[in-house]
């Protein structure tokens, strides 16, 4: 059993109460599995905060934004999710290579958290190709379509 | 049904509720197994439990919503009981039946109850049988029936999906000439979301409040743990919940609580459940809406004022024990408020904002509880709903609870993705919210 794992909310409230009455500004507790920092706010009226860091949690995640910058023609995904070329299975795609697009043209949809989010071209130009296939899981900032 | 202590519990859920269930189970000396998707394999609940069993890939349909895979994972992990949490398969009678057929206990009500409450019209009929008031309206199988019903109830009215939930398949209709178009949309949405296009008609109460009653039953006796007010909603989704329902005469509150208990007794209800009512904000007359046969997202506000661990009660009843609590033992103290912190961008029409949280500084202090599976570096995958955590405050009075909430929201800081925190900061300083007792139209009148 991972016995040193999460303190209950009652435990955290107790730690916060001790800290509030003390002259200390923060408590920083680290075990093999987690690190907990309980701290007073900066201003007089500021409340306390609790911050948890778990062993093995994602660090800074490499972002697709860098790759996008390298390709000035790319239209990138505004959010992570599944990228679809057409409004529904079997329907014709929103755009195809050679099409002319304007800033408001929908180039595809990204399904995130059960919601369909249209992706707009954001600029004018001619579609050269799709960077990712229909139904691909994309990260925020991943290139979707190239427009020249 | 087999009885006896649960030894190894399968948690068929994710996120904050999976962690919440695992905490109580562990405190009771029960071994915990999490049925996680591949996308959640490194989540905080997965780190917390004793064992993880993968139920499938990220998309819900291939994992958390697959009856076959979830039951197989629970059997494979040698579990003797399954807690379904909320959402996903929690109110699915087919799932509950498969769990029982595999020789495990289902932490929830009887299958007959799940079947009766899953169909909104059947639930309405059962409530009428138990003597509860319901809104004018009812079944409408054909287009002509819908028109006849609409003529009886008058406008505005609501079209609702018979197997509905989460606001899907629901349409408000203000004028007779809009009825046909709204009916088409409601039926299409209901078909897509629930695989059943059937809708029914109900009168729309303009100044309505959403008030619900927490119930506990063991099949023989049933008690209530007071009211919760969940009137602050966006697109029929709850944002803020409090207990007890504020700015309501004691007699009105007691009337709703009694009605809820009457229904639970009529059903021989087992486990934790919530009876939802629509309450007229002006005269406090009330109407039964539905009974949610599971733990609710907003259950911690009831826990805060009653001191009862609702998940513990669910597990005790599921292991065949009688309710150890009586109505006289429930003595609510003070006032509690919960706000839902979602990964949504309030500046971009609440567009979902999954991703990685660089830093999550949640509030702490006296009367503050945070139920969240998101710490520094935490992931919000794109496959599931956007709830990142719940901030719950408790005070001796509502005034103190509002004060604590204001302070806590002031310190809450999440870096890396947009959240609904700024919206809650606006809500908590709105004079109507501070006064208490707002209706479901509150958000439309909120200052930007």
């Amino acid at each position: 059993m991972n016995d040193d794992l999460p303190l209950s909310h009652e435990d955290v409230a107790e730690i916060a109460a001790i800290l509030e009455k003390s002259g200390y500004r923060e408590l920083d507790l680290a075990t093999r599995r987690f690190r907990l920092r309980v701290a007073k706010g900066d201003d007089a009226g500021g409340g306390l905060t609790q911050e948890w860091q778990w062993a093995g949690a994602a660090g800074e995640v490499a972002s697709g934004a860098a790759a996008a910058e390298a390709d000035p023609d790319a239209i990138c995904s505004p959010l992570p999710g599944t990228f679809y070329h057409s409004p529904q299975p079997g329907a014709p795609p929103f755009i195809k290579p050679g099409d002319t697009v304007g800033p408001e043209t929908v180039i595809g949809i990204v399904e995130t958290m059960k919601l369909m989010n249209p992706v707009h071209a954001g600029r004018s130009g001619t579609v050269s190709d799709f960077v990712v296939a229909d139904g691909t899981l994309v990260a925020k900032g991943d290139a979707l379509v190239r427009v020249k | 049904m087999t009885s006896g202590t649960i030894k190894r519990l399968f948690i068929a859920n994710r996120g904050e509720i999976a962690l919440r269930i695992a905490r109580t189970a562990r405190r009771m000396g029960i071994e915990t197994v999490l049925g996680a998707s591949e996308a959640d394999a490194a989540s905080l609940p997965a780190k917390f439990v004793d064992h993880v069993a993968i139920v499938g890939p990220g998309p819900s349909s291939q994992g958390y919503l697959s009856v076959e895979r979830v039951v197989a994972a629970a059997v494979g992990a040698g579990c003797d009981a399954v807690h379904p949490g909320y959402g996903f398969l929690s109110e699915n009678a087919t799932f509950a039946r498969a769990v029982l057929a595999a020789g495990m206990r289902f932490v929830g009500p009887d299958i007959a109850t799940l079947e009766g409450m899953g169909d909104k019209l059947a639930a309405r009929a059962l409530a009428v049988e138990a003597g509860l008031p319901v809104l004018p309206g009812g079944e409408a199988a054909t287009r002509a029936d819908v028109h006849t019903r609409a003529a009886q109830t008058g406008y505005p009215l609501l079209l609702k999906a018979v197997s509905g939930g989460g606001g899907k398949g629901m349409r408000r209709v203000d004028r007779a000439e809009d009825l046909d178009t709204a009916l088409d949309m409601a039926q299409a949405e209901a078909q897509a979301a629930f695989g059943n296009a059937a809708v029914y008609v109900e009168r729309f109460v303009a100044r309505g409040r959403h008030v619900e009653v927490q119930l506990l039953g063991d099949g023989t006796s049933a008690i209530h743990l007071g009211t919760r007010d969940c009137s602050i909603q966006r697109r029929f989704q709850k944002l803020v919940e409090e207990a007890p329902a504020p700015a309501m005469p004691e007699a009105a509150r007691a009337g709703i609580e009694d009605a809820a208990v009457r229904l639970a007794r009529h059903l021989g209800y087992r486990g934790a459940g919530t009876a939802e009512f629509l309450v007229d904000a002006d005269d406090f007359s009330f109407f039964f809406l539905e009974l949610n046969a599971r733990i609710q997202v907003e259950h911690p506000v009831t826990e805060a004022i009653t001191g009862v661990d609702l998940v513990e009660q669910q597990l005790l009843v599921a292991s065949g024990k009688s309710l150890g609590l009586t109505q006289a033992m429930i003595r609510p103290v003070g006032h509690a408020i919960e706000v839902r912190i979602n990964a949504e961008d309030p500046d971009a029409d609440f567009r979902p904002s999954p991703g990685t949280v660089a830093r999550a500084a949640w509030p702490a202090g006296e009367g503050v509880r945070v139920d969240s599976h998101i710490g520094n570096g935490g992931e919000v995958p794109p496959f599931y709903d956007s709830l990142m955590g719940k901030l719950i405050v408790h005070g001796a009075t509502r005034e103190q609870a509002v004060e604590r909430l204001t302070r806590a929201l002031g310190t809450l800081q999440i870096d890396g993705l947009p959240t609904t925190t700024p919206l809650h900061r606006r809500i908590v300083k709105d004079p109507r919210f501070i006064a208490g007792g707002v209706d479901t139209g509150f958000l439309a009148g909120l200052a930007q």
Side-chain angles (χ1 to χ4, degrees):
Chain A
M1 274 211 181
N2 307 328
D3 281 334
D4 67 339
L5 273 168
L7 301 163
S8 69
H9 60 87
E10 289 93 348
D11 297 333
V12 176
E14 245 177 82
I15 293 171
I18 294 167
L19 191 65
E20 199 149 35
K21 289 186 192 96
S22 76
Y24 295 98
R25 290 197 49 78
E26 67 171 74
L27 175 140
D28 209 326
L29 175 73
T31 73
R32 258 178 328 116
R33 295 180 186 281
F34 71 90
R35 182 174 170 192
L36 168 66
R37 182 172 174 264
V38 182
K40 285 179 185 167
D42 295 331
D43 49 319
L48 290 121
T49 53
Q50 51 175 316
E51 260 182 80
W52 297 82
Q53 173 84 44
W54 300 91
E60 282 301 300
V61 184
S63 141
E69 274 168 34
D71 186 353
D73 295 338
I75 295 168
C76 299
S77 182
L79 72 175
T82 309
F83 179 61
Y84 293 106
H85 294 188
S86 359
Q88 52 188 302
F94 290 100
I95 51 156
K96 54 185 189 308
D99 282 2
T100 307
V101 297
E104 292 303 312
T105 308
V106 174
I107 58 128
I109 46 177
V110 173
E111 182 189 356
T112 292
M113 293 168 165
K114 301 177 220 159
L115 292 174
M116 300 295 179
N117 304 278
V119 181
H120 300 274
R123 70 185 110 103
S124 303
T126 306
V127 177
S128 29
D129 61 340
F130 280 102
V131 181
V132 293
D134 187 46
T136 307
L137 191 65
V138 295
K140 180 178 177 176
D142 276 0
L144 303 173
V145 171
R146 268 187 284 265
V147 170
K148 285 200 167 137
Chain B
M1 160 145 338
T2 46
S3 71
T5 317
I6 295 170
K7 293 188 181 66
R8 201 165 154 93
L9 178 70
F10 190 85
I11 301 168
N13 216 297
R14 63 175 306 279
E16 66 87 19
I17 195 63
L19 184 61
R20 159 79 192 82
I21 295 163
R23 279 178 191 277
T24 288
R26 168 160 303 170
R27 190 171 53 69
M28 294 169 74
I30 299 171
E31 270 190 84
T32 49
V33 179
L34 179 75
S37 74
E38 283 160 13
D40 285 328
S43 66
L44 179 51
K47 291 184 207 307
F48 181 72
V49 293
D50 300 308
H51 301 280
V52 176
I54 297 296
V55 296
S60 305
S61 58
Q62 298 165 47
Y64 294 117
L65 284 174
S66 164
V67 170
E68 205 175 299
R69 287 189 188 180
V70 173
V71 173
V75 170
C79 293
D80 54 5
V82 175
H83 196 308
Y86 52 66
F88 294 128
L89 297 170
S90 60
E91 292 177 279
N92 186 312
T94 308
F95 176 63
R97 204 178 287 114
V99 167
L100 298 184
M104 300 177 287
R105 273 163 284 175
F106 179 71
V107 184
D110 295 333
I111 293 184
T113 308
L114 285 176
E115 278 169 345
M117 292 299 131
D119 177 321
K120 302 287 168 92
L121 276 173
R124 210 180 126 98
L126 282 166
V128 172
E129 253 176 56
L132 270 64
V134 297
L135 285 162
E139 189 173 7
T142 64
R143 188 170 293 269
D145 292 344
V146 171
H147 280 272
T148 313
R149 283 282 183 201
Q152 289 161 0
T153 56
Y155 294 87
L157 59 80
L158 274 181
L159 293 174
K160 287 177 156 184
V162 169
S163 1
K168 295 196 182 69
M170 208 152 156
R171 278 283 183 287
R172 177 181 163 173
V173 190
D174 292 328
R175 306 172 309 168
E177 53 264 47
D178 301 333
L179 185 59
D180 279 314
T181 319
L183 179 61
D184 289 340
M185 287 196 291
Q187 284 181 333
E189 227 171 82
Q191 180 65 44
F194 315 110
N196 176 7
V199 297
Y200 64 105
V201 176
E202 213 168 67
R203 179 188 289 164
F204 179 79
V205 175
R207 287 212 349 107
R209 286 172 59 176
H210 178 110
V211 177
E212 59 189 32
V213 178
Q214 178 66 52
L215 294 162
L216 277 178
D218 59 13
T220 314
S221 65
I223 61 169
H224 73 80
L225 283 84
T227 51
R228 291 189 288 258
D229 191 311
C230 316
S231 299
I232 301 184
Q233 304 186 359
R234 187 178 63 83
R235 294 182 195 146
F236 305 108
Q237 308 254 12
K238 296 166 188 170
L239 289 170
V240 181
E241 302 105 346
E242 47 187 301
M248 181 176 288
E250 200 48 57
R253 222 182 270 152
I256 299 169
E257 290 163 350
D258 289 348
V261 171
R262 210 155 59 230
L263 178 62
R265 294 208 172 119
H266 180 72
L267 297 171
Y269 195 83
R270 250 167 22 86
T274 299
E276 298 193 333
F277 295 90
L278 186 72
V279 177
D280 190 303
D282 298 313
D283 67 8
F284 302 107
S285 57
F286 64 91
F287 307 93
F288 170 79
L289 291 177
E290 61 184 85
L291 190 141
N292 292 316
R294 54 167 162 81
I295 194 83
Q296 302 261 103
V297 176
E298 58 272 24
H299 77 277
V301 288
T302 299
E303 294 187 328
I305 63 165
T306 60
V308 173
D309 181 331
L310 288 165
V311 172
E312 180 178 20
Q313 294 300 315
Q314 286 188 296
L315 293 170
L316 289 173
V317 171
S319 51
K321 295 193 171 60
S322 303
L323 268 190
L325 296 167
T326 62
Q327 195 63 62
M329 288 161 77
I330 307 300
R331 303 241 174 236
V333 175
H335 197 93
I337 308 174
E338 171 184 286
V339 297
R340 299 187 188 189
I341 305 299
N342 291 320
E344 288 172 13
D345 188 352
D347 293 329
D349 195 28
F350 296 93
R351 187 165 73 181
S353 53
T356 302
V357 174
R359 175 171 176 246
W362 293 98
E366 201 183 349
V368 175
R369 164 177 173 182
V370 173
D371 277 19
S372 173
H373 59 295
I374 298 291
N376 292 352
E379 294 277 352
V380 182
F383 307 109
Y384 316 110
D385 80 36
S386 58
L387 184 65
M388 296 173 65
K390 308 181 301 203
L391 164 62
I392 304 112
V393 295
H394 183 214
T397 59
R398 186 173 186 276
E399 195 182 7
Q400 189 183 39
V402 171
E403 202 178 281
R404 284 186 170 160
L405 180 59
T406 307
R407 193 168 181 226
L409 283 168
T411 60
L412 173 56
Q413 199 188 335
I414 303 219
D415 300 337
L417 45 80
T419 75
T420 48
T421 309
L423 172 70
H424 288 301
R425 290 192 183 125
R426 297 210 310 271
I427 291 173
V428 78
K429 62 180 190 203
D430 187 292
R432 297 169 302 160
F433 174 75
I434 293 167
V438 300
D439 63 62
T440 52
F442 171 82
L443 219 55
L446 187 66
Q448 283 302 303

